[in-house]
Amino acid sequence: MIANSAMDSFNSQSLKINKASRRSLFNAVMTGLAGLCILAALVPLALVLFYVTVNGFNRLDLDLFTQLPPAPGLQGGGIANAIVGTLIVVAIATLIAVPIGVLCAIWLAEFGGDETSIDEWVRFGVNILAGVPSIISGVFIYGLMVKPALPGYSALAGGVALAVLMLPTIIRTTDEALKIVPQDIRWAALGVGASKYQMVLKVVLPAAVPAILTGVTLAVARAAGETAPLIFTALFSPFWPNGITNPIASLAVLVYNFATLPFKPQQELAWAASLILVLLVLVSSITARLVTRKR
Amino acid sequence: MNPMAITNDVVLRAKDCDIYYGSYRAVRDVSVDIPQHKVTAFIGPSGCGKSTVLRCFNRLNDLIEVFHLKGKMTYHGQDLYAADVDPVEVRRRIGMVFQKPNPFPKTIYDNIAYGPRISNYQGDMDELVETSLRRAALWDEVKDKLQESGFSLSGGQQQRLCIARTIAVQPEVVLMDEPCSALDPISTLKVEELMKELTQDYTIIIVTHNMQQATRVADYTAFFNAEVVEGAGGKVGYLAEFDETQKIFSDPALQETRDYVTGRFG
């Protein structure tokens, strides 16, 4: 039986919220600071979207999506070849980078790990590749494929240059995605008599697909906007795409070329191309999220 | 200890096995004969090597790089650890159910079908899935939702799904590593009833912490214990006694067995 005196000496105030205490103040200040940082991070994004939309929106019309660029100074025309060109070059880059990147990551995550393995060197190399400036990738492919006319300025060369930039992102995100798959599932697959490749291909990889898709989307978004590599490799073309062994137009290079021309129509086209590029990246990100959410 | 004479056919046999992780001997002197179409339980306090020995039977310890086995383990007389034996083939004949239910992130149907598909099963898959689910006492509960994810089931159902998945490849032996420890009592009861029925077609080895479970389901029981040793790890497990369940629990040959089953330690 608790003595009454013990109850009387308990101070019920000690339980109550005290807004003025040092701890509460510190809490409030840090929460406010964190909120400001969120704003600081979101404001540039909002400004870019707003600015691009405001400047590019007026130029949106059917011609934009169906016509070739006009001669300098002339009105009308569109950026249809650049849109198609970007899609083609990014598609080539994705077709090269995704299989190589995913298989490399599968090797790192599932088959490496012995004392004799070169795992850490491969990961180290990938990290270095991730830091390579995009223009270097362009110059590299210029020396490899353009100068010796193999096949020269072309969509193919542009695609390869972009693939080099996409590779580290895809390898790293796939590696992480595979590591996250719980070990239980691997043991379960081996327990029903699966060989290692059966386990990886049919159980581990499907489980990691949502995360891998996110990584691929990130890589594609980066590649779609790269300009420097394309200047040396895919060059530009005012005409419709003419096979992948010839120069090709792309949105990023179009913006680069047209934004600094002293002609208003070209500048407007550059804004419109910027808007299309931003929208392309937005749409692919949202699609990736939708697809992975269904799983 | 004297290995007892088993009157049934012996499916798996371990003779004087020592299990090493690198230079650390984890379990010593394991000699046991697993009889066909019976349930054999491995009991004993934590950390004395029961699960380790279990995993040796289906070559799952191979995944641990520093593991190696001294002594002989045979399956129908054939050395399981011979150089020309394919661990994948071993695992198709000796299946395993794990402690924590681990269904694949696929539909219920695909969970069951995965094993047969990778073994190039040519028969009617729908029929095999239904038979396996019926045998695991899960068919009635899932027959209308075979295309839903394996994770949409409760814990007890998931474990029965894992059992169905294991028997779908039609192994001869099913190893169960504390299959009920993560389940509620009602699911546990269902799984235990299941085990008894499965012995018609399969041989079962179960590791369990629950002595009462061993008395309920097992025909034979092996009691593992551990002792302190010098060196890394500090202890080594060993097989103390192996006999019919009834004998182990009512009149064991060793004092340490008697102490464990009466609850004086463990």
Side-chain angles (χ1 to χ4, degrees), chain A residues 158-287:
Chain A
V160 175
L162 290 184
V164 168
L165 293 174
M166 287 171 72
L167 214 49
T169 310
I170 295 183
I171 294 178
R172 282 205 290 212
T173 48
T174 307
D175 192 17
E176 292 303 316
L178 290 171
K179 280 190 198 154
I180 287 187
V181 173
Q183 199 63 359
D184 284 8
I185 294 187
R186 293 187 176 84
W187 284 53
L190 291 173
V192 287
S195 65
K196 200 143 190 208
Y197 94 85
Q198 282 169 331
M199 168 192 81
V200 171
L201 217 58
K202 301 214 170 145
V203 175
V204 177
L205 206 55
V209 158
I212 295 177
L213 269 181
T214 310
V216 169
T217 313
L218 280 174
V220 164
R222 180 183 173 191
E226 286 289 349
T227 320
L230 293 179
I231 298 177
F232 296 98
T233 51
L235 210 59
F236 189 72
S237 152
F239 307 113
W240 291 109
N242 180 19
I244 58 175
T245 52
N246 285 313
I248 196 170
S250 55
L251 286 168
V253 179
L254 187 144
V255 171
Y256 171 70
N257 286 338
F258 282 22
T260 49
L261 287 180
F263 304 111
K264 196 111 191 333
Q266 268 63 28
Q267 287 168 8
E268 284 176 358
L269 280 176
W271 277 114
S274 305
L275 179 59
I276 301 295
L277 202 49
V278 164
L279 284 177
L280 248 165
V281 170
L282 208 63
V283 164
S284 54
S285 302
I286 294 180
T287 322

Side-chain angles (χ1 to χ4, degrees), chain B residues 120 223 265:
Chain B
N120 296 321
F223 167 60
F265 77 94

Side-chain angles (χ1 to χ4, degrees), chain A residues 81-148:
Chain A
N81 60 341
I83 296 177
V84 173
T86 296
L87 290 175
I88 292 180
V89 173
V90 169
I92 295 176
T94 310
L95 280 173
I96 299 174
V98 169
I100 297 180
V102 169
L103 284 175
C104 177
I106 289 180
W107 187 86
L108 280 177
E110 303 288 333
F111 290 88
D114 313 341
E115 304 88 57
T116 55
S117 102
I118 52 171
D119 267 13
E120 42 175 302
W121 295 108
V122 174
R123 288 206 172 99
F124 183 59
V126 168
N127 283 335
I128 295 189
L129 191 63
V132 161
S134 58
I135 197 160
I136 304 288
S137 164
V139 172
F140 164 60
I141 297 297
Y142 175 79
L144 199 67
M145 290 176 73
V146 177
K147 198 124 186 295

Side-chain angles (χ1 to χ4, degrees), chain B residues 59 73 78-86:
Chain B
R59 298 283 303 257
M73 264 193 190
Q78 190 185 5
D79 184 2
L80 277 174
Y81 283 83
D84 58 355
V85 166
D86 183 2

Side-chain angles (χ1 to χ4, degrees), chain A residues 113-115 184-196 198-200 202-203 206-207, chain B residues 55 60 63 65 88 91-92 94-96 98 100 102-106 114-115 118 165-166 169:
Chain A
D114 313 341
E115 304 88 57
D184 284 8
I185 294 187
R186 293 187 176 84
W187 284 53
L190 291 173
V192 287
S195 65
K196 200 143 190 208
Q198 282 169 331
M199 168 192 81
V200 171
K202 301 214 170 145
V203 175
Chain B
R55 286 198 305 268
L60 218 50
L63 299 179
E65 268 188 55
V88 173
R91 292 181 205 131
R92 290 202 183 139
I94 305 179
M96 191 157 199
F98 299 86
K100 195 162 121 3
N102 54 6
F104 299 131
K106 297 171 183 282
Y114 174 74
I118 57 176
R165 176 180 68 189
T166 307
V169 280

